[in-house]
Amino acid sequence: GGEINMLINAIGQLAAAFLATIAFSVLFHVPKKQYIICGLTGTLGWLVYLLVKLYFSNTLACFAATVVIVFCARLFAVWRKVPSNVFMISGIFPIVPGIGIYNTIYDIMIGDAVAAMSSGLETFKAVAAIVLGIVCVFVIPNKWFRSLW
């Protein structure tokens, strides 16, 4: 029934997040041997996003996903001996609220101020949650991540 369709949908979304993250890695000239780890980072973030969004707001889902993505990026960076941006920038791609930005600009262009304010506020909250998630993980000292390996 409905649960099977939801599960199939989620698996499809996770596969899309994996492929999209790798595609973004190619676009940003990430070394080829890091593609799979980049894809894994984006997929883990999207999984957290989907799970948190089941019970909480989109804003909190963006925050939680970002924390996981940046934490994994920093951990994988130590493991793979590359800068954390290699995994973080591409890994964060699936949760960037592109459709929210599009809708906000579209609403402005057609003159629907109420819809523009609504979509703009939601988009701003998502972006703010992403920034806050990045900051929260980057306050953890590098030596802590190095001590885990």
Side-chain angles (χ1 to χ4, degrees):
E3 293 85 16
I4 297 294
N5 287 339
M6 252 177 57
L7 183 62
I8 291 170
N9 184 328
I11 290 169
Q13 287 188 42
L14 292 170
F18 182 78
L19 294 173
T21 304
I22 290 175
F24 206 67
S25 302
V26 171
L27 201 65
F28 276 83
H29 306 290
V30 166
K32 285 182 177 70
K33 62 185 174 187
Q34 308 303 343
Y35 287 168
I36 300 299
I37 304 299
C38 286
L40 181 63
T41 305
T43 304
L44 287 170
W46 191 251
L47 177 63
V48 169
Y49 175 82
L50 290 176
L51 291 173
V52 174
K53 199 165 185 286
L54 283 173
Y55 303 101
F56 301 99
S57 69
N58 182 64
T59 305
L60 192 59
C62 285
F63 174 77
T66 301
V67 167
V68 168
I69 290 163
V70 178
F71 187 87
C72 288
R74 292 194 66 196
L75 201 58
F76 293 155
V78 171
W79 173 44
R80 305 291 287 209
K81 295 174 179 52
V82 294
S84 59
N85 279 356
V86 166
F87 306 115
M88 186 182 77
I89 301 296
S90 54
I92 222 146
F93 174 71
I95 63 164
V96 170
I99 192 68
I101 296 166
Y102 171 86
N103 287 338
T104 302
I105 293 170
Y106 178 79
D107 293 336
I108 290 168
M109 296 305 286
I110 65 169
D112 190 343
V114 174
M117 287 299 289
S118 177
S119 58
L121 181 61
E122 277 306 304
T123 302
F124 177 78
K125 289 190 313 188
V127 170
I130 291 168
V131 170
L132 187 61
I134 292 169
V135 169
C136 284
V137 180
F138 266 96
V139 298
I140 302 168
N142 255 345
K143 65 181 177 184
W144 189 85
F145 287 94
R146 284 193 298 269
S147 73
L148 294 176
W149 289 112

